[in-house]
Amino acid sequence: MYAIIETGGKQYKVSEGDVIKVEKLGTETETNYSFDKVIAVSKDSGLITGTPYISGAAVSATVVANGKAKKVIVYKYKAKKGFHKKRGHRQPFTTVKIDKIQA
């Protein structure tokens, strides 16, 4: 059994027990979080899809950790002009463990 959820503008295929990194949710660690934007759920009876979401479906998860990804260097320059600009960016993320899929 798996589900396809949407969070942070991205879609994730999850099963019970999976640990995934999603965009920052803004919650504390060791708290429960419910994803209610469920696009599809696959059961033994078949695939259930929503238009665009399945009403009444939810995926419950536990927040494991919050963190930042590795630094990405953004470097801009203009040829023959002497213009150089260097910046770094670390994208925040939340690690969650999928507990239960309700359809």
Side-chain angles (χ1 to χ4, degrees), residues 3-12 35-41 48-59 102-103:
I4 299 175
I5 60 171
E6 181 181 328
T7 180
K10 298 175 182 68
Q11 296 177 2
Y12 299 92
F35 297 101
D36 55 352
K37 292 184 177 180
V38 180
I39 297 171
V41 175
I48 302 168
T49 58
T51 55
Y53 306 117
I54 300 172
S55 62
V59 174
Q102 301 166 349

Side-chain angles (χ1 to χ4, degrees), residues 16-52:
E16 291 182 4
D18 286 353
V19 177
I20 60 170
K21 288 183 181 179
V22 297
E23 295 292 323
K24 184 178 177 184
L25 297 175
T27 59
E28 298 294 323
T29 59
E30 301 301 323
T31 59
N32 292 330
Y33 191 84
S34 179
F35 297 101
D36 55 352
K37 292 184 177 180
V38 180
I39 297 171
V41 175
S42 173
K43 294 185 185 179
D44 297 333
S45 59
L47 184 69
I48 302 168
T49 58
T51 55

Side-chain angles (χ1 to χ4, degrees), residues 50-94:
T51 55
Y53 306 117
I54 300 172
S55 62
V59 174
S60 59
T62 304
V63 176
V64 176
N66 291 310
K68 287 185 178 181
K70 286 184 139 183
K71 184 176 278 191
V72 176
I73 302 298
V74 180
Y75 191 76
K76 299 178 183 180
Y77 84 102
K78 305 243 185 237
K80 297 178 247 170
K81 301 295 180 190
F83 172 80
H84 296 273
K85 185 183 284 189
K86 181 179 179 181
R87 297 190 66 182
H89 175 74
R90 293 183 69 189
Q91 184 70 24
F93 66 86
T94 301

